Amino acid sequence: MGFLIDFLKLGLLLNFIKFITDFFRQLVKSLTPPSAFSWQTLIFLSVFSYFMAYFATYPLRDLLASMGWVFLIFGVSWLTTDNEDVLKIYSFSLGPWITGALVCIFVFGTWRGDFTPATLICWPPISAVLAIVREFFDTGLKFKIPQPVARQNIVILLLTNLIISCWFQFYFITQDWINKYPVLLSDDFSKSAFVVKLEAPQAEMSRGTLLLNSMGQLIKQELENKPWPQVERWLLPDNLRERLPALERQVEKRLPWASEDLWWQFEPRVSSTKSGYNLQLQTVWKGPSSQKREYYIQKSCQITPTYKQRRGETNQTLTAKVDCPA
Amino acid sequence: MFFNVFPIPTVLFQFLFLLVTIAIEGIVLHRLLKLSRRTSIEYSASINLLTTFLGWVLFFSVLPSLPKVWEGHLISYIFFDRLITTQLSSAYTMVIFTLFTMFLSAFLIKLIGLKILQLLLGDVPKDTYPTVKQPSVRRRGLLNRYDEQDFLPPKPNQAIALLLANACSYSALLLLLVLRFVQFQ
C-alpha cells in the first residue's frame, strides 16, 4: 500500500518537473530574438548597458545607464505595440501607459532616486502623446494630419489624460498643505467632501508644543530672580498685553521659522493663588480646523515669592521664583 | 510623509458628475440639434472634458497667488467642510454668485469649444432640415402673402441648444449637491 503511494508521489513529481522545464523552454524561446531587428535585442542591449554601467566610472556610468534606459524604453514600446491584443482593458490598450511611465521615470530622474511630483503629473499626458503619435505619421515616417475619424478619439483621449494629471496635481497640493501645517493631521477629516485620511492620527502638535516651551523659557528668563514688586507689575493684564507682541517676536527669532507660526496665537492668563500667581500660557490654533471650539495647548507656570539674599547686599529681598513643570 | 491624505472622493465625484453631464448633454444635443446619437455623445464628451480641464487650470493658477487668509478658508473648506465666515448670509451669497459665474463661463467655454471642435473635425453639421423651396417667379399678391418658410419650425441654433444642455446638467449638479447637503445634516 505504501509502495503504491510512493509510486504516485514520484509520478506527480515527474509531472511537476516536466511542467517547469516546459515553462522555461517556452520562456527562453520567446526571449531569444528571432531576428537582429526585434524588441528582444533592444531589451538585451539595455540589460547589457546597465551591466556595463556597474563597472564604469562616473561620468561614463551615467551615460551607460541612460543608454540602458533609452534602449529599455524603445524595447518595451516595441514589445507592447507588437502584443497589443494581450494588454487590453475594455478595448483600451495599456502599452502607452507602461512606456509612458518608463519615459517619465527616466526623464524626471526618478531612476536616480530623486522623486519629483513632475514624474506622476506628466505621466498621463506623455502616455496620451505616445498613444496618438502613431496617427501623425504615414508609412515612411512622413508627417501627416490625422484622419477626421481618428481626430475625435485623439481629442477625447488627450483631454481625459490631462484631467487625470490634474487629479495627481491636486493630490500634491493637498500634501503640500499638510506638510506646511502638520497640526492638521491630528484633526478629523470625516466630513470632507474632497479627501480621505488613511492613517491613525498621531499627535502632530510638535510645532505648537515647541512654541509653548520656548515662550515658557523666555518668560522664566525674564522674571526669575527679579524683585517681587516688579514681577507683580509685569503680570498685570495691561502690561502683559503690551508685552506680548515683543515676546512673540523673540520666540520667533529663537526658533527656525515654520509656516504654522502664522496661525498659532499666544494667550496668557494670570490668576492669583494662595502663594503667588499662576500663569496659564496657552497657544491657540487659529487656523483651519474641523471644530468650532478652538484648539489649544496649555502650560501652567507657578510664580511664587521667596526670600533671597542677593550678592553684595546684606538684607534679604523678595524675589520671584518661576516654576514651569514640563 | 506622503501617504496619508488622498483626494479619492474628489476623483469619484468628478468622474460621476462627468458621466452624468455627458449623458444629459448628449441627449439634449441629440434631440435639439438633430445629430446622430454617437456624434452628440462625442461632442458632449469633448466639450465637457474641456470645461473640466480648464476649470482645474484656473484653480491651479489662482492658488499660488492667494493671500494666506483665503488659503486658510480654502483649506478649511476642503479638509473640514467648514466655511469660516462671520456672517452666514454672506456665505450663501458667495456660493450663489460662484455657481452663477460657473454656469455662465461653462456655457461660454462649451460654445467656443464646440465651434473649435467642429472646425478641427472638419464637420459641418448636416442640415437635415427640409430646404425651403424658392419659387422662381414671385408675385406679390393676396394669395402669395405667406411663404412656406413661415410654416416650418425654426432651425435649431447651436447656442440655444448648448444653453439648454448646460442648464440641464447644472440642475443635475444642484440636485446632487442638495442631496449631499441633506444627507450630512
Side-chain angles (χ1 to χ4, degrees):
Chain A
M1 200 51 198
F3 178 65
L4 203 58
I5 293 179
D6 282 339
F7 191 61
L8 279 172
K9 280 197 221 160
L10 190 63
L12 279 171
L13 190 64
L14 283 175
N15 259 338
F16 187 62
I17 292 178
K18 184 166 177 315
F19 174 68
I20 296 281
T21 43
D22 268 343
F23 176 70
F24 272 113
R25 205 174 296 153
Q26 277 283 66
L27 196 67
V28 171
K29 193 156 82 166
S30 68
L31 278 184
T32 48
S35 75
F37 197 57
S38 66
W39 60 269
Q40 286 97 338
T41 33
L42 284 176
I43 305 273
F44 280 140
L45 271 176
S46 149
V47 174
F48 181 66
S49 319
Y50 232 73
F51 189 63
M52 288 276 99
Y54 266 126
F55 301 111
T57 55
Y58 185 85
L60 195 60
R61 160 177 264 190
D62 249 358
L63 183 68
L64 279 175
S66 308
M67 276 177 58
W69 270 99
V70 171
F71 283 133
L72 183 66
I73 288 173
F74 278 113
V76 168
S77 155
W78 198 325
L79 165 66
T80 48
T81 35
D82 267 356
N83 298 355
E84 239 178 339
D85 311 316
V86 179
L87 302 159
K88 268 185 191 273
I89 299 184
Y90 297 135
S91 84
F92 211 39
S93 68
L94 277 185
W97 272 262
I98 301 177
T99 323
L102 290 175
V103 169
C104 279
I105 294 179
F106 171 59
V107 166
F108 291 108
T110 314
W111 57 290
R112 261 178 262 146
D114 38 289
F115 172 78
T116 54
T119 313
L120 209 53
I121 294 175
C122 291
W123 170 41
I126 291 186
S127 315
V129 166
L130 285 173
I132 67 178
V133 82
R134 199 192 327 182
E135 303 289 332
F136 282 92
F137 287 105
D138 230 341
T139 50
L141 286 186
K142 277 201 300 239
F143 181 73
K144 82 164 201 263
I145 309 233
Q147 315 240 326
V149 178
R151 278 185 231 167
Q152 176 74 74
N153 290 338
I154 290 178
V155 165
I156 294 186
L157 193 69
L158 212 55
L159 284 175
T160 319
N161 280 291
L162 285 172
I163 292 184
I164 295 181
S165 77
C166 285
W167 289 339
F168 287 148
Q169 170 80 321
F170 185 58
Y171 166 68
F172 284 114
I173 285 183
T174 49
Q175 284 305 127
D176 242 0
W177 283 339
I178 298 235
N179 289 337
K180 263 206 313 193
Y181 312 118
V183 87
L184 293 174
L185 212 51
S186 57
D187 218 334
D188 173 33
F189 279 78
S190 60
K191 284 193 74 179
S192 168
F194 296 92
V195 293
V196 283
K197 190 164 75 155
L198 286 186
E199 234 174 53
Q202 302 160 352
E204 284 286 348
M205 308 175 289
S206 50
R207 183 69 188 177
T209 326
L210 208 62
L211 286 172
L212 197 62
N213 288 337
S214 181
M215 180 65 109
Q217 275 176 353
L218 198 62
I219 290 188
K220 186 173 173 126
Q221 261 187 331
E222 181 109 351
L223 294 181
E224 181 99 320
N225 290 334
K226 294 276 168 31
W228 186 245
Q230 185 183 342
V231 167
E232 277 194 318
R233 238 176 299 142
W234 196 92
L235 287 173
L236 285 175
D238 298 329
N239 185 38
L240 211 55
R241 219 177 306 139
E242 263 180 44
R243 291 300 202 112
L244 204 56
L247 283 174
E248 284 178 355
R249 268 194 293 275
Q250 274 187 304
V251 169
E252 282 171 22
K253 252 189 276 179
R254 284 179 168 203
L255 297 172
W257 184 79
S259 301
E260 274 195 13
D261 290 348
L262 186 71
W263 299 109
W264 285 112
Q265 211 171 61
F266 287 108
E267 277 175 18
R269 229 170 281 168
V270 181
S271 51
S272 47
T273 57
K274 258 190 304 190
S275 56
Y277 290 98
N278 178 23
L279 176 66
Q280 237 183 19
L281 267 180
Q282 283 181 348
T283 44
V284 186
W285 172 251
K286 296 263 187 210
S289 91
S290 60
Q291 310 293 329
K292 272 212 193 82
R293 286 171 299 132
E294 281 172 339
Y295 175 69
Y296 63 87
I297 313 177
Q298 186 171 291
K299 193 184 172 86
S300 292
C301 289
Q302 305 293 333
I303 304 179
T304 47
T306 50
Y307 279 106
K308 229 184 176 107
Q309 184 154 27
R310 288 167 91 175
R311 237 181 295 167
E313 284 184 17
T314 40
N315 302 352
Q316 285 186 330
T317 46
L318 213 57
T319 56
K321 181 172 84 121
V322 183
D323 189 20
C324 298
Chain B
M1 204 178 110
F2 270 118
F3 301 113
N4 35 36
V5 165
F6 292 102
I8 295 178
T10 316
V11 169
L12 285 178
F13 186 68
Q14 186 152 76
F15 183 63
L16 175 73
F17 178 59
L18 271 176
L19 277 181
V20 167
T21 318
I22 290 176
I24 291 182
E25 295 204 2
I27 294 177
V28 173
L29 287 182
H30 167 66
R31 281 258 160 100
L32 286 187
L33 290 183
K34 304 290 183 228
L35 301 164
S36 77
R37 219 166 249 167
R38 184 196 165 101
T39 321
S40 60
I41 292 277
E42 283 178 351
Y43 280 3
S44 154
S46 311
I47 59 181
N48 275 298
L49 289 174
L50 180 69
T51 323
T52 317
F53 175 61
L54 288 180
W56 274 118
V57 165
L58 184 72
F59 178 66
F60 293 142
S61 53
V62 160
L63 207 54
S65 46
L66 271 185
K68 278 262 186 165
V69 187
W70 281 91
E71 194 187 30
H73 287 200
L74 188 67
I75 294 179
S76 150
Y77 180 60
I78 290 185
F79 282 171
F80 308 121
D81 201 23
R82 272 190 70 214
L83 289 168
I84 310 176
T85 48
T86 45
Q87 302 159 290
L88 206 57
S89 62
S90 77
Y92 281 133
T93 46
M94 274 293 287
V95 166
I96 293 182
F97 179 68
T98 316
L99 277 178
F100 192 62
T101 321
M102 275 171 57
F103 178 78
L104 276 183
S105 31
F107 167 60
L108 279 173
I109 295 177
K110 286 180 186 173
L111 193 59
I112 300 177
L114 189 60
K115 289 270 189 283
I116 295 180
L117 183 70
Q118 287 183 322
L119 252 172
L120 267 182
L121 295 180
D123 262 1
V124 182
K126 282 191 280 285
D127 206 347
T128 55
Y129 261 69
T131 49
V132 172
K133 292 198 285 266
Q134 295 283 356
S136 43
V137 173
R138 293 225 45 234
R139 274 178 42 186
R140 277 212 155 263
L142 279 171
L143 291 175
N144 288 336
R145 200 177 271 251
Y146 297 109
D147 270 333
E148 287 176 18
Q149 256 173 320
D150 294 344
F151 295 122
L152 287 171
K155 202 163 121 173
N157 190 0
Q158 263 187 359
I160 296 192
L162 272 179
L163 189 64
L164 219 62
N166 212 23
C168 290
S169 58
Y170 266 72
S171 320
L173 170 68
L174 275 177
L175 194 69
L176 278 173
L177 282 180
V178 163
L179 276 176
R180 194 196 144 254
F181 192 62
V182 164
Q183 177 201 34
F184 258 113
Q185 292 304 80

